[in-house]
């Protein structure tokens, strides 16, 4: 076992030395434990602080899987039902203007079939740069969303009102909703995910960050994890990088549940092990019935305009409750934000899983290839370590 670990470390270090990223972290798990966890490169290049398995950074959209687990825990506690209309829990009206008489349900939100679309207003205003930082080298344009120095922090509920209600300053009747009935078509929605987190807050009477800490992070002993810099040890936080030389400012999001969980590879390994346990009927966070619902594949061909069956890690081929399913039998989620690229999947046939996160954008042609080379190398060694 140690020979395989040492060999994997050497091969990953060789990939790192290609020089396309400042730092990355990895983990391999099965349904019982972490088989391998490590970090490579720099968490802070200028100050020569190494990226380790205990380095923390936000994990991007993999965070949405915690919304799914939290939603099913709220259901387990008797606080809500998936087929409830969302207006049962929120004090403002959210309707698709093309189908004003069709109710949007919690299940629509959780399966990305609410028809709510992320617009330019979301992308320009949801991310907030942490105050008192040097913004002289801030780049505004990113492949996923934008860091807008003029965006201001407001409460999550207030932001959702501005985006989703007809009198909101960010409301976009033409582009903010699909021209389909709620439930008919898949449309990945960060705003829909954040609205789900608000509903969990309203149904349980507990802020989302505190609810997930109580019911997910603490039970799994994910001790370094949290939803903001003031909930974690910021000295362990990796810098994020626009490219190899330019660090980005620290940032968060008004819509933090959709992508801002901060965690280490060690903590994410614990979480991934629990998901595998839940899938096999041995989970500890939810009962068997609610885990079964979490991992139910809800959609069919008619929900998609086009499906990618060739990419084994396309998490939008089908969906459970904020849980992605690929056509090749992998379950999990991908993530991408400014300076963050992340993968978390498990194989439902072998009950093994992998986690990979990097702290540098991979916008050129070589960056994504290197990311997949690391991912494939983790796959090659999974069977060697799972003995």
């Amino acid at each position: 076992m140690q020979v395989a670990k040492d060999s994997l470390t050497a091969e990953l270090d060789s990939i790192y030395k290609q020089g396309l990223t400042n730092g990355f972290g990895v983990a391999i798990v099965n349904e019982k434990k972490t088989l391998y966890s490590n970090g490579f490169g720099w968490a802070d290049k200028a100050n020569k602080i190494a990226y380790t398995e205990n380095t923390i950074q936000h994990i991007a959209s993999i965070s949405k899987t915690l919304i799914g687990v939290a939603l099913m825990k709220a259901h387990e506690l008797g606080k809500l039902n998936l087929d409830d209309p969302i207006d049962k829990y929120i004090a403002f009206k959210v309707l698709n203007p093309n189908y004003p008489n069709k109710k949007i349900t919690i299940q629509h939100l959780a399966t990305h079939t609410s028809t709510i679309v992320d617009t330019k207003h979301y992308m320009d205003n949801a991310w907030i740069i942490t105050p008192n930082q040097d913004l002289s080298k801030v780049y505004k344009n990113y492949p996923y969303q934008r860091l807008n120095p003029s965006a201001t922090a407001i409460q999550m509920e207030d932001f959702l009102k501005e985006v989703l209600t007809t009198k909101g300053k960010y409301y976009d009747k033409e582009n903010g909703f699909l021209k389909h009935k709620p439930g008919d078509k898949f449309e990945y929605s960060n705003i829909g995910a954040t609205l789900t987190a608000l509903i969990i807050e309203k149904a349980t009477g507990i802020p989302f960050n505190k609810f997930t800490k109580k019911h997910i992070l603490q039970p799994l002993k994910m001790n370094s994890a949290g939803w903001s810099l003031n909930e974690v040890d910021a000295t362990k936080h990796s810098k994020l990088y626009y490219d190899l030389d330019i660090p980005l400012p620290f940032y968060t999001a008004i819509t933090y549940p959709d992508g801002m969980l901060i965690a280490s590879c060690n903590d994410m390994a614990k979480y991934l092990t629990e998901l595998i346990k839940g899938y096999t009927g041995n989970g500890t966070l939810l009962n068997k019935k609610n885990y079964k619902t979490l991992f139910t594949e809800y959609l069919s061909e008619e929900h998609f305009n086009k499906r990618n069956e060739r990419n084994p890690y396309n998490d939008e081929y089908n969906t459970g409750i904020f849980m992605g399913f690929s056509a090749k039998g992998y379950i999990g989620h991908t993530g991408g934000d400014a300076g963050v690229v992340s993968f978390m999947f498990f194989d439902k046939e072998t009950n093994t899983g992998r986690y990979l996160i990097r702290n540098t954008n991979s916008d050129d042609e070589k960056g994504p290839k290197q990311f997949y080379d690391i991912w494939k190398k983790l796959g090659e060694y999974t069977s060697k370590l799972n003995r």
Side-chain angles (χ1 to χ4, degrees), residues 195-254:
L195 183 57
T196 308
L198 178 65
I199 289 170
I200 293 170
E201 289 191 349
K202 298 299 184 181
T204 64
I206 304 173
F208 180 78
N209 62 324
K210 294 182 178 180
F211 186 83
T212 50
K213 183 176 182 179
K214 178 180 179 180
H215 293 289
I216 302 175
L217 304 184
Q218 288 181 337
L220 295 182
K221 295 183 171 54
M222 296 173 66
N223 298 324
S224 71
W227 291 96
S228 64
L229 287 177
N230 62 10
E231 294 181 16
V232 300
D233 182 353
T235 66
K236 295 182 179 179
H237 200 296
S238 176
K239 292 279 190 181
L240 303 178
Y241 294 87
Y242 176 79
D243 59 23
L244 288 174
D245 299 313
I246 301 174
L248 297 167
F250 286 116
Y251 62 92
T252 186
I254 300 168

Side-chain angles (χ1 to χ4, degrees), residues 151-215:
T152 56
I154 62 175
Q155 292 298 309
M156 183 170 71
E157 182 173 5
D158 293 336
F159 184 76
L160 290 172
K161 288 179 183 178
E162 298 289 5
V163 172
L164 293 170
T165 62
T166 55
K167 294 183 179 180
K169 64 179 178 180
Y170 302 137
Y171 183 75
D172 188 336
K173 182 178 180 180
E174 291 300 315
N175 302 302
F177 297 85
L178 295 181
K179 303 298 191 291
H180 297 277
K181 290 188 297 185
D184 281 1
K185 290 292 181 181
F186 177 91
E187 173 70 19
Y188 187 88
S189 176
N190 289 284
I191 287 293
T194 305
L195 183 57
T196 308
L198 178 65
I199 289 170
I200 293 170
E201 289 191 349
K202 298 299 184 181
T204 64
I206 304 173
F208 180 78
N209 62 324
K210 294 182 178 180
F211 186 83
T212 50
K213 183 176 182 179
K214 178 180 179 180
H215 293 289

Side-chain angles (χ1 to χ4, degrees), residues 111-130:
T111 58
H112 294 290
T113 58
S114 68
T115 67
I116 295 172
V117 177
D118 295 332
T119 65
K120 178 180 182 295
H121 301 294
Y122 160 76
M123 298 191 180
D124 285 353
N125 295 284
W127 285 8
I128 304 297
I129 296 174
T130 304

Side-chain angles (χ1 to χ4, degrees), residues 23-27 34 36-44 49-59 221-226 231-239 261-270 355 357 359:
F24 66 89
V26 301
T34 301
Y36 180 87
S37 183
N38 211 341
F40 298 84
W42 302 114
D44 185 333
I49 299 174
Y51 199 111
T52 76
E53 63 269 29
N54 296 311
T55 298
I56 60 175
Q57 68 173 88
H58 81 265
I59 66 173
K221 295 183 171 54
M222 296 173 66
N223 298 324
S224 71
E231 294 181 16
V232 300
D233 182 353
T235 66
K236 295 182 179 179
H237 200 296
S238 176
K239 292 279 190 181
L261 182 74
I262 301 167
S264 68
C265 289
N266 274 345
D267 278 346
M268 292 306 295
K270 296 173 185 177
Y355 175 73
I357 191 164
N359 66 5

Side-chain angles (χ1 to χ4, degrees), residues 36-101:
Y36 180 87
S37 183
N38 211 341
F40 298 84
W42 302 114
D44 185 333
K45 186 177 180 180
N47 293 302
K48 303 300 182 186
I49 299 174
Y51 199 111
T52 76
E53 63 269 29
N54 296 311
T55 298
I56 60 175
Q57 68 173 88
H58 81 265
I59 66 173
S61 286
I62 294 173
S63 304
K64 292 183 179 69
T65 65
L66 279 84
I67 302 178
V69 175
L71 183 62
M72 296 318 303
K73 174 55 71 171
H75 176 265
E76 188 173 301
L77 295 172
K79 302 298 183 180
L80 53 77
N81 293 303
L82 294 182
D83 58 0
D84 287 339
I86 61 176
D87 58 14
K88 181 177 179 179
Y89 300 96
I90 55 176
F92 53 95
K93 185 174 291 187
V94 179
L95 295 170
N96 183 327
N98 304 297
Y99 295 92
N101 296 320

Side-chain angles (χ1 to χ4, degrees), residues 180 185-186 301-307:
H180 297 277
K185 290 292 181 181
F186 177 91
E301 196 72 31
E302 64 186 14
H303 289 98
F304 299 87
N305 294 324
K306 185 178 181 180
R307 300 172 90 179

